[in-house]
């Protein structure tokens, strides 16, 4: 409890110059258990005049305390301890007209509290001291008690008479004995001597007292007079205390009256301000304003201005800050009843706006303009602008009606722009074939290769017909016309319907109540909401625009699919130009860019499909695929179009996809079952052509594809050579293949292979005798003719393949000779053709052809 007492003293009483004298923990108050800790504190002020107060202190959740109720000591009427004979923590305290039933934490806390309260009452409130019932008041005088030890009566008397000898008395007694010069045996003599001296001193004292009797009487008289003066002073002090108590009570009453007078003055001031504001609001709307609204003529600008002023006056009356009692006053109710004419005024205004929207749209459609221009709406904007202030009033006071007007404007204007865009884009699309001049003649062929060549020629012809001047002009015309119309419409809609007015008002209120640190974030949020509202309205007005833009892009690409490259480059350059993010045209521009990008991706995908799809007639030889030359022409044309362009990433990605599609086409053609050409020949010839094409084009992003094409070419040449290389020595190759397999599988040593019957020396000689030099040369000539037949006419790879065939054949003969020396040592068996013979055969065959 002492720790809590220190905390409460520091938190609550120290700042008010008060000191806690007693404290008790209230477990129950009026029979109810408190959820939070409640304490009853007895405090005294430090400075004069001293005041004694009682406080109910309530504990909070965060270990803090709060003063709940305060009472002065003079308000306490009675303190009832309930049962003085039996210790109990319960006691009653009557303050004013209310009795509090308090259950303390313990009986000791209750006794200490009541004892301290009694002491302070006796000290500071002796006249109006409260009544203390059922409590042992004498216990209050004993601050601390000592438990006595019971002793016998004679011991108690001896204990009360005994006084210890001091050091000085002990020293004097020793000096007296030394002067007497007596021994211990003469003690009775010493006692007699002391008795005589004592009797002489007593006589002297009696004589002295009798001589000073008058002085004693005078002293007693002085003491009686002093006591009489003290009694008079005490009476005067009591009278002064009574006066001070009366003055203190009077001052407290004066303070209470002064606080009530302050409240009264404030109430009168607020009432005066309320009445003045109420009267001003009533006088804001006059009978002339009501008549103006009833007789409104929206076709007359002056009448529109008067209606606007009258509507603002009504809005000022509606938005006046009236208290609830003011709303019940008859003057307010009468004026509010008179304003029912506003509903009729709003209905007439909405009807007028609906008719005006329709008439102005019809008037805009009747005007004649240039066929490649979208009619400007400045005349329609000027006709509607005088009604802008009424729209703002309608938005503030009739939000639902304003929303209906905005929806009617969107519906009617949407139909207007839909018709205007239909005429503009129909004319523009009709100009596309004339501007581009893409008249194509298609040729058909019976064979699949002829069909592929005709497709390639068609692509080349259309690509060469792209007009790089006319198409940008068409794009510029579309963007310029749309930009002018959309920006003008957006400015008018924002200004006429006051789309951002409520956001600006809200932002001003927020920035006024908050600091500068939050104004930047609030401004960004406001701008975001503004853009969202404007985009919502403009999106509904121009919802048909994306369809027309898509039709325009498709029309341009339909007459010439490769035009999408030029469109993509033009729009990519314009994307880098600065755009106004608050303008709806930036969204339209972005939609056009997205549409062109989709057309570009679709075109690349179509080209990839044509490169990878290869149709071959039955039993035909496949040469160089036309997709390679088509890919080369595409790259050349694209490089011309994308010269100095910023966005080459998409083009390089397209190159990669097209090159991969060409490789897929080569693989499919080689695996085609209807092909008479060997698969390896189809692959290495087309990869050779692809490598040559990529080397000629010198496209940096396709460098890896060029290296891969070269590697694939060499890989398939080696496969082809290995496939046909054993034909001139077919029986010898078969014999030695069996020898190697037998050695690997059976685990026989090479020098023991000749002991096997099927691999004896006789069998080896028989096999070698079947391939004399003439037969080998004849086989090589047949092999050359076969290679020449498989390859394309006048192929540059013929000599390359023949040279690889020569090298592989020489390696094969050297390997056979090595096997003979290993497996048939000292047999002196050799092939009938040597390495020099083979070189001579290959050279003669190459010279003959």
């Amino acid at each position: 409890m002492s720790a809590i007492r220190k905390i409460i003293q520091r938190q609550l009483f120290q700042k008010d110059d008060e000191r806690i004298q007693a404290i008790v923990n209230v477990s129950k108050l009026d029979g109810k258990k408190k959820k939070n800790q409640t304490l009853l504190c007895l405090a005294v002020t430090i400075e004069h005049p001293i005041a004694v107060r009682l406080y109910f202190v309530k504990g909070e959740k965060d270990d803090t305390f709060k003063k709940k109720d305060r009472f002065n000591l003079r308000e306490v009427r009675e303190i009832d301890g309930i049962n003085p004979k039996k210790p109990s923590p319960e006691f009653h305290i009557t303050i004013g007209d209310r009795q509090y039933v308090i259950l303390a934490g313990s009986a000791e806390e209750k006794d200490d509290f009541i004892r301290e309260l009694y002491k302070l009452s006796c000290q500071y409130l002796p006249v109006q001291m409260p009544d203390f019932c059922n409590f042992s008041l004498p216990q209050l005088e004993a601050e601390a008690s000592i438990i006595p030890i019971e002793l016998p009566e004679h011991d108690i008397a001896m204990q009360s008479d005994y006084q210890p000898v001091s050091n000085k008395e002990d020293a004097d007694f020793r000096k007296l004995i030394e002067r007497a010069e007596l021994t211990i045996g003469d003690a009775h003599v010493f006692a007699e001597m002391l008795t005589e001296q004592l009797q002489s001193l007593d006589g002297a004292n009696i004589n002295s007292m009798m001589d000073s009797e008058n002085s004693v009487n005078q002293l007693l008289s002085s003491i009686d007079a002093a006591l009489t003066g003290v009694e008079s002073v005490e009476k005067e002090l009591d009278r002064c205390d009574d006066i001070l108590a009366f003055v203190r009570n009077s001052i407290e009453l004066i303070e209470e009256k002064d606080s009530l007078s302050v409240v009264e003055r404030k109430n009168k001031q607020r009432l005066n301000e309320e009445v003045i504001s109420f009267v001003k609001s009533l006088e804001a709307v006059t009978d002339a304003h009501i008549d103006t609204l009833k007789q409104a003529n929206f076709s007359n600008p002056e009448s529109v201005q008067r209606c606007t002023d009258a509507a603002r006056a009504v809005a000022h009356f509606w938005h006046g800050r009236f208290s609830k009692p003011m709303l019940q006053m008859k003057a307010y109710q009468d004026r509010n009843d008179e304003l029912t004419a506003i509903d009729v005024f709003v209905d007439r205004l909405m009807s007028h706006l609906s008719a005006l929207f329709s008439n102005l749209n019809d008037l805009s459609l009747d005007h004649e303009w240039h066929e490649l221009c979208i009619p400007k709406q400045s005349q329609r904007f000027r006709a509607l602008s005088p009604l802008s202030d009424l729209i703002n009033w309608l938005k503030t006071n009739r939000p639902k009606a304003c929303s209906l007007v905005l929806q009617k404007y969107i519906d009617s204007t949407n139909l207007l722009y839909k018709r205007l865009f239909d005429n503009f884009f129909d004319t523009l699309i009709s100009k596309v074939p004339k501007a581009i001049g893409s008249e194509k003649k298609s040729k058909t062929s019976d064979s699949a290769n002829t069909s592929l060549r005709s497709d390639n020629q068609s692509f080349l012809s259309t690509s060469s017909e792209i007009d790089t001047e006319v198409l940008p002009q068409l794009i510029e015309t579309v963007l310029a016309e749309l930009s002018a119309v959309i920006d003008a419409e957006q400015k008018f809609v924002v200004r006429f319907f006051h789309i951002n007015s409520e956001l600006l008002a809200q932002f001003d209120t927020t920035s006024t109540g908050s600091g500068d640190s939050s104004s930047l974030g609030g401004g960004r949020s406001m701008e975001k909401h503004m853009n969202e509202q404007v985009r919502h309205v403009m999106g509904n007005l121009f919802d048909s625009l994306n369809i027309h833009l898509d039709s325009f892009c498709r029309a341009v690409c339909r007459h010439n699919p490769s035009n999408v490259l030029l469109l993509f480059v033009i729009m990519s350059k314009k994307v880098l130009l600065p755009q106004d993010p608050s303008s709806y045209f930036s969204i339209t521009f972005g939609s056009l860019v997205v549409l062109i990008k989709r057309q570009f991706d679709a075109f690349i995908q179509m080209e990839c499909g044509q490169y990878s799809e290869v149709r071959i007639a039955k039993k035909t030889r496949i040469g160089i695929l036309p997709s390679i030359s088509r890919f080369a022409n595409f790259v050349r044309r694209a490089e011309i179009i994308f010269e100095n362009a910023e966005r080459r990433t998409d083009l390089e990605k397209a190159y990669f996809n097209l090159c991969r599609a060409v490789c897929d086409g080569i693989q499919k053609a080689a695996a085609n079952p209807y092909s008479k050409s060997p698969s390896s020949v189809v692959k290495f010839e087309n990869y050779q052509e692809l490598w040559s094409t990529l080397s000629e084009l010198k496209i940096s992003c396709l460098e890896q594809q060029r290296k891969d094409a070269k590697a694939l070419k060499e890989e398939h040449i080696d496969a082809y050579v290995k496939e046909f290389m054993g034909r001139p020595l077919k029986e010898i190759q078969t014999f030695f293949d069996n020898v190697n397999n037998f050695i690997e599988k059976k685990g026989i040593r090479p020098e023991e292979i000749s002991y096997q019957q099927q691999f004896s020396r006789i069998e080896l000689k028989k096999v070698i005798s079947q391939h004399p030099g003439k037969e080998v040369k004849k086989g090589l000539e047949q092999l050359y003719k076969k290679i020449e037949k498989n390859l394309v006419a006048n192929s540059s790879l013929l000599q390359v393949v023949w040279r690889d065939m020569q090298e592989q054949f020489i390696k094969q003969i050297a390997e056979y000779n090595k096997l003979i020396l290993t497996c048939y040592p000292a047999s002196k068996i050799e092939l009938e053709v040597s390495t020099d013979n083979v070189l001579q055969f290959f050279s003669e065959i190459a010279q003959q052809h």
Side-chain angles (χ1 to χ4, degrees):
M1 183 61 72
S2 60
I4 296 177
R5 180 172 178 171
K6 291 180 181 179
I7 293 173
I8 296 176
Q9 173 68 33
R10 184 175 62 255
Q11 290 184 0
L12 302 180
F13 293 94
Q14 188 172 354
K15 60 182 180 181
D16 295 333
D17 294 332
E18 294 178 327
R19 181 177 67 254
I20 298 176
Q21 294 296 115
I23 187 170
V24 61
N25 186 12
V26 180
S27 301
K28 289 185 179 180
L29 181 62
D30 295 336
K32 298 180 180 179
K33 188 174 182 180
K34 294 294 183 180
K35 295 182 180 179
N36 298 328
Q37 186 179 13
T38 304
L39 303 167
L40 179 61
C41 299
L42 179 63
V44 180
T45 57
I46 299 174
E47 297 180 353
H48 289 277
I50 296 176
V52 182
R53 300 186 180 97
L54 289 171
Y55 291 95
F56 279 106
V57 177
K58 182 180 180 182
E60 301 292 336
K61 293 182 179 180
D62 52 352
D63 296 334
T64 59
F65 296 90
K66 181 180 179 182
K67 291 180 180 179
K68 186 178 180 182
D69 297 317
R70 186 189 79 170
F71 308 100
N72 293 322
L73 181 60
R74 69 172 182 275
E75 299 178 20
V76 181
R77 297 288 179 262
E78 184 183 30
I79 295 95
D80 188 359
I82 300 178
N83 191 354
K85 296 182 180 180
K86 182 179 179 181
S88 173
E90 183 178 355
F91 67 98
H92 298 171
I93 179 169
T94 303
I95 302 175
D97 297 333
R98 181 178 177 183
Q99 185 184 45
Y100 294 91
V101 180
I102 299 174
L103 184 64
S106 63
E108 289 77 7
E109 287 186 11
K110 181 194 77 172
D111 294 340
D112 294 340
F113 181 81
I114 297 177
R115 186 184 299 113
E116 190 67 29
L117 181 61
Y118 178 75
K119 183 191 298 184
L120 295 177
S121 299
C122 293
Q123 184 176 358
Y124 297 107
L125 201 65
V127 179
Q128 300 178 354
M129 187 172 70
D131 297 332
F132 289 85
C133 304
N134 299 323
F135 191 78
S136 300
L137 295 178
Q139 295 180 5
L140 298 174
E141 299 175 358
E143 295 295 333
S145 62
I146 300 175
I147 301 175
I149 302 174
E150 297 183 359
L151 297 173
E153 294 181 357
H154 65 280
D155 292 341
I156 295 174
M158 291 176 61
Q159 185 179 6
S160 61
D161 293 339
Y162 173 77
Q163 293 181 355
V165 178
S166 63
N167 294 330
K168 185 176 183 304
E169 290 175 344
D170 182 67
D172 292 340
F173 181 71
R174 292 183 183 277
K175 289 180 181 180
L176 181 61
I177 293 175
E178 289 177 358
R179 282 199 304 268
E181 296 180 354
L182 298 174
T183 62
I184 296 177
D186 297 333
H188 64 281
V189 178
F190 180 69
E192 292 177 357
M193 184 180 65
L194 290 178
T195 303
E196 291 177 358
Q197 292 180 359
L198 180 61
Q199 290 177 355
S200 64
L201 289 174
D202 287 339
N205 287 335
I206 292 171
N207 292 331
S208 176
M209 290 175 61
M210 292 179 66
D211 293 339
S212 60
E213 182 178 1
N214 294 330
S215 299
V216 171
N217 292 331
Q218 292 177 359
L219 177 61
L220 292 176
S221 300
S222 300
I223 291 174
D224 293 337
L227 291 175
T228 303
V230 169
E231 290 179 356
S232 63
V233 170
E234 287 180 351
K235 292 180 180 179
E236 186 67 23
L237 289 175
D238 292 339
R239 189 177 65 83
C240 291
D241 287 339
D242 295 338
I243 294 173
L244 288 174
F246 176 76
V247 171
R248 183 170 61 250
N249 295 334
S250 300
I251 290 174
E252 290 179 355
L253 292 175
I254 291 172
E255 289 178 352
E256 293 179 359
K257 291 182 179 180
D258 183 63
S259 62
L260 292 176
S261 63
V262 171
V263 173
E264 183 180 2
R265 287 196 299 272
K266 290 183 179 179
N267 289 337
K268 287 182 179 180
Q269 183 178 359
R270 290 181 60 187
L271 180 60
N272 187 28
E273 293 175 355
E274 187 78 17
V275 172
I276 292 174
S277 175
F278 179 73
V279 173
K280 287 183 179 180
S281 299
L282 288 179
E283 294 178 350
V285 181
T286 62
D287 295 337
H289 290 154
I290 297 176
D291 294 337
T292 300
L293 295 176
K294 291 180 179 179
Q295 302 173 4
N297 182 9
F298 300 109
S299 301
N300 187 356
E302 296 180 357
S303 176
V304 170
Q305 185 60 40
R306 290 195 299 270
C307 290
T308 303
D309 297 336
R312 287 174 179 170
V314 173
H316 179 71
F317 172 76
W318 279 344
H319 297 291
R321 296 181 179 179
F322 301 135
S323 59
K324 290 185 179 180
M326 290 292 184
L327 299 178
Q328 299 176 0
M329 297 186 69
K330 189 174 184 304
Y332 177 82
Q333 294 178 357
D334 292 343
R335 178 61 72 187
N336 203 19
D337 293 339
E338 293 174 356
L339 293 180
T340 54
I342 290 294
D343 296 333
V344 179
F345 170 76
V346 172
D347 294 338
R348 291 181 58 194
L349 177 61
M350 293 179 63
S351 300
H352 176 76
L353 288 172
S354 299
L356 187 61
F357 292 157
S358 179
N359 295 334
L360 290 176
N361 291 343
D362 295 338
L363 184 63
S364 298
L365 291 173
D366 293 339
H367 286 290
E368 294 183 359
W369 293 79
H370 189 271
E371 57 183 1
L372 287 181
C373 289
I374 301 176
K376 305 302 182 289
Q377 303 299 311
S378 55
Q379 185 176 358
R380 182 168 62 90
F381 298 157
R382 284 195 298 270
L384 291 173
S385 295
L387 299 173
S388 176
D389 293 335
L390 285 178
I391 293 295
N392 188 23
W393 176 87
L394 199 65
K395 186 172 186 178
T396 305
N397 300 278
R398 292 288 191 272
K400 293 183 179 179
C402 183
S403 299
L404 292 176
V405 171
L406 177 59
Q407 189 60 42
K408 289 181 180 179
Y409 178 81
I410 291 174
D411 294 340
S412 61
T413 309
N414 184 17
L415 293 176
L416 170 65
Y417 281 117
K418 185 176 181 181
R419 294 177 184 177
L420 295 177
F421 289 156
D422 288 341
N423 297 333
F424 174 73
F425 280 99
D426 288 345
T427 304
L428 191 68
I429 291 173
S430 65
K431 298 286 185 181
V432 169
K434 298 178 182 179
I436 299 178
S438 58
E439 297 179 356
K440 297 182 289 185
K441 297 180 180 180
S442 59
K443 298 181 180 180
T444 58
S445 177
D446 295 334
S447 64
N449 289 337
T450 307
S451 176
L452 289 175
R453 293 191 189 94
S454 64
D455 290 341
N456 189 18
Q457 292 172 359
S458 174
F459 174 80
L460 291 175
S461 63
T462 56
S463 298
S464 62
E465 292 171 359
I466 296 178
D467 192 341
T468 57
E469 296 181 357
V470 177
L471 191 57
Q473 292 177 0
L474 290 177
I475 297 295
E476 290 292 343
T477 301
V478 172
L479 295 180
E481 292 297 319
L482 292 179
S483 175
V485 171
I486 291 174
D487 289 343
E489 184 65 33
Q490 179 176 342
K491 291 178 182 178
F492 172 75
V493 167
V494 172
R495 184 175 63 253
F496 183 72
F497 288 100
H498 302 272
I499 291 178
N500 304 324
S501 59
E502 70 277 8
L503 289 175
L504 290 172
Q506 181 181 0
F507 174 69
D508 292 339
T509 304
T510 305
S511 61
T512 302
S514 60
D516 296 336
S517 60
S518 61
S519 60
L520 181 60
R524 293 175 180 173
S525 178
M526 181 193 67
E527 181 180 356
K528 180 180 179 181
H529 285 293
M530 286 182 179
N531 291 337
E532 288 179 356
Q533 287 195 356
V534 172
R535 289 173 182 175
H536 175 71
V537 175
M538 297 297 291
N540 292 330
L541 287 175
F542 298 100
D543 59 353
S544 62
L545 183 57
N546 286 338
I547 299 175
H548 290 95
L549 291 175
D550 186 57
S551 301
F552 171 71
C553 294
R554 290 180 183 277
V556 172
C557 298
R558 182 171 58 252
H559 292 285
N560 188 353
S562 61
N563 283 347
V564 71
L565 300 177
L566 187 56
L567 284 176
F568 185 75
V569 171
I570 294 173
M571 296 308 295
S572 299
K573 291 180 180 179
K574 291 187 175 296
V575 164
L576 301 177
L577 299 177
Q579 301 287 336
D580 184 7
S582 62
S583 175
Y584 183 75
F585 176 71
S586 62
I587 299 178
T588 304
F589 180 79
S591 300
L592 182 58
V593 172
V594 171
L595 290 174
I596 293 177
K597 181 63 168 62
R598 289 177 181 174
Q599 291 291 331
F600 176 81
D601 294 339
F603 172 69
I604 297 300
Q605 188 176 2
M606 180 188 68
E607 288 292 310
C608 290
Q610 293 182 358
Y611 291 174
S612 60
E613 292 290 336
V614 179
R615 297 180 181 180
I616 301 174
K618 293 183 178 181
K619 303 304 179 181
T620 57
R621 291 189 178 276
I622 301 176
I624 304 299
L625 297 178
S627 58
I628 299 177
S629 59
R630 180 167 181 165
F631 171 68
N633 293 326
F634 173 84
V635 172
R636 294 188 186 96
R637 185 59 184 169
E639 287 297 318
I640 295 174
I641 294 174
F642 277 80
E643 186 178 4
N644 299 326
E646 298 292 337
R647 296 185 59 178
R648 285 191 58 89
T649 305
D650 297 287
L651 180 63
E652 292 175 355
K653 183 179 179 181
Y655 283 166
F656 177 76
N657 293 333
L658 291 173
C659 186
R660 184 172 57 185
V662 171
C663 295
D664 293 342
I666 294 174
Q667 296 291 337
K668 290 181 181 179
N672 195 298
Y674 299 131
S675 173
K676 294 179 64 176
S677 300
S679 175
S680 300
V681 174
V682 175
K683 291 179 181 180
F684 72 68
E685 282 192 324
N686 282 278
Y687 282 125
Q688 164 67 17
E689 184 67 19
L690 179 61
W691 173 78
S692 177
T693 300
L694 294 177
S695 300
E696 178 185 355
L697 295 174
K698 297 180 180 179
I699 305 299
S700 59
C701 64
L702 296 178
E703 180 63 24
Q704 184 61 42
Q705 282 70 21
R706 187 183 71 85
K707 295 179 180 179
D708 293 343
K710 183 178 180 181
L712 290 171
K713 176 200 70 173
E714 295 174 352
E715 176 185 348
H716 292 294
I717 288 177
D718 293 341
Y720 178 75
V721 169
K722 291 178 180 179
E723 180 182 359
F724 291 93
M725 188 259 310
R727 291 187 178 182
L729 303 174
K730 187 174 182 180
E731 287 77 9
I732 296 178
Q733 181 183 6
T734 304
F735 180 84
F736 284 108
D737 288 343
N738 294 331
V739 169
N740 289 327
N741 292 333
F742 197 83
I743 293 173
E744 292 176 358
K745 292 180 180 181
K746 299 296 183 178
I748 300 176
R749 292 185 298 176
E751 57 272 14
E752 297 176 357
I753 196 68
S754 60
Y755 298 107
Q756 302 295 325
Q757 183 177 0
Q758 64 270 31
F759 303 123
S760 62
R761 296 182 180 183
I762 298 174
E763 292 295 329
L764 176 60
K765 292 179 180 180
K766 186 186 298 183
V767 171
I768 293 175
S769 64
Q770 294 177 4
H771 295 281
K774 293 182 179 180
E775 292 295 329
V776 171
K777 183 177 181 181
K778 183 179 179 181
L780 290 175
E781 289 178 350
Q782 293 177 354
L783 179 60
Y784 186 88
K785 292 179 181 180
K786 184 67 175 180
I787 295 172
E788 190 177 23
K789 183 179 180 181
N790 290 334
L791 270 61
V792 181
N794 300 323
S795 174
S796 59
L797 293 176
L798 180 60
Q799 298 301 323
V800 176
V801 173
W802 187 245
R803 184 172 58 255
D804 290 346
M805 198 67 82
Q806 173 184 320
E807 294 176 357
Q808 192 66 26
F809 195 79
I810 292 174
K811 289 180 181 179
Q812 189 178 26
I813 289 180
E815 182 181 356
Y816 293 160
N817 288 327
K818 183 178 179 181
L819 281 173
I820 293 173
L821 292 176
T822 303
C823 298
Y824 304 96
S827 63
K828 297 182 180 180
I829 301 175
E830 294 180 355
L831 296 176
E832 296 189 6
V833 289
S834 62
T835 302
D836 295 335
N837 295 332
V838 171
L839 291 175
Q840 182 180 358
F841 294 158
F842 274 93
S843 176
E844 292 177 355
I845 294 172
Q847 291 177 1
Q848 291 176 2
H849 296 80

